[in-house]
């Protein structure tokens, strides 16, 4: 019966829910898929009170803070902490750089967070950010390159699909 109820709700309530920018982006998929880098940026903003009306802002707040959305938000802190532990270990042991691949990098928020909060770890970090969306990679380049230059981190930006990467079609000799 789920399909029947979902269809009914979409038909009668769909336009109302589209008032919330987050829901509208998830439904309309302007970059061709849900969860694009701009949608992730919407989640990472400190306030989710976006929309033209009070109702739209409240609905947007509800959608952007529900359990799955919150899990994505929490992921940044979790990964930042894990990277910090790895890098501090490398720093303490006098080891070389820690090499990390961020597959489906999106906006690269965990790398930004790490370098902004622990810039001293930059000289120990070498990251390859891989995303299928050239706009996400361009966003990462604009946003992260100045931080990398300031901290000494090495960043490599690769536009490639995860499917092709997993199927062995990508030959990375030198990242650009």
């Amino acid at each position: 019966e789920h399909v029947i109820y979902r269809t009914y709700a979409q038909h009668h309530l769909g336009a109302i829910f589209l008032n919330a920018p987050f829901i509208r982006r998830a439904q309309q998929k302007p970059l061709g898929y849900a969860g694009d880098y701009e949608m992730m940026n919407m989640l990472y903003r400190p306030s989710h009170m976006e929309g033209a009306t009070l109702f739209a802002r409240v609905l947007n707040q509800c959608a952007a803070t529900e359990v799955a959305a919150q899990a994505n938000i929490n992921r940044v802190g979790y990964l930042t902490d894990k990277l910090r532990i790895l890098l501090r270990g490398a720093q303490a042991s006098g080891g070389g750089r820690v090499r990390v691949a961020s597959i489906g990098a999106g906006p690269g928020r965990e790398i930004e967070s790490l370098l902004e909060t622990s810039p001293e770890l930059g000289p120990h970090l070498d990251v390859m950010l891989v995303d299928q969306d050239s706009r996400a990679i361009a966003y990462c380049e604009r946003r992260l390159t100045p931080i990398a230059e300031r901290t000494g981190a090495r960043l490599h930006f690769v536009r490639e699909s995860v499917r092709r990467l997993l199927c062995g079609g990508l030959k990375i000799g030198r990242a650009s």
Side-chain angles (χ1 to χ4, degrees):
E1 295 176 346
H2 174 76
V3 173
I4 294 167
Y5 295 135
R6 184 181 62 208
T7 302
Y8 179 86
Q10 285 174 339
H11 177 73
H12 293 287
L13 302 173
I16 294 170
F17 285 107
L18 293 180
N19 284 297
F22 185 77
I23 295 172
R24 184 173 49 252
R25 187 167 195 95
Q27 288 290 316
Q28 295 176 348
K29 301 173 185 71
L31 297 183
Y33 60 100
D36 65 53
Y37 79 100
E38 283 294 349
M39 177 170 261
M40 299 310 295
N41 277 332
M42 291 173 93
L43 284 179
Y44 299 145
R45 290 184 191 129
S47 172
H48 299 111
M49 295 299 283
E50 299 176 33
T53 65
L54 177 60
F55 176 75
R57 290 189 294 273
V58 169
L59 195 56
N60 200 73
Q61 174 79 16
C62 290
T65 57
E66 60 84 34
V67 175
Q70 192 60 52
N72 276 286
I73 295 166
N74 294 345
R75 174 189 157 278
V76 172
Y78 176 80
L79 291 174
T80 299
D81 290 345
K82 294 298 181 188
L83 288 169
R84 190 176 292 116
I85 291 166
L86 283 171
L87 289 162
R88 288 217 168 106
Q91 185 182 37
S93 68
R97 288 180 175 266
V98 172
R99 297 176 68 192
V100 175
S102 179
I103 310 297
R109 189 57 66 105
E110 60 280 355
I111 303 303
E112 179 181 2
S113 174
L114 174 72
L115 294 175
E116 289 291 354
T117 58
S118 303
E120 73 282 0
L121 298 176
H124 303 281
L125 182 62
D126 191 338
V127 181
M128 180 174 292
L129 294 109
V130 181
D131 201 289
Q132 68 179 359
D133 188 347
S134 60
R135 292 164 291 217
I137 291 298
Y139 177 88
C140 284
E141 284 183 286
R142 283 191 312 275
R143 186 96 178 180
L144 300 177
T145 298
I147 300 169
E149 289 171 354
R150 201 170 57 244
T151 63
R154 290 185 194 153
L155 302 180
H156 313 276
F157 304 96
V158 178
R159 185 197 162 278
E160 187 58 72
S161 78
V162 174
R163 177 176 292 154
R164 187 165 155 198
L165 183 69
L166 291 174
C167 293
L170 177 63
K171 305 287 188 246
I172 298 179
R174 181 179 67 78
S176 56

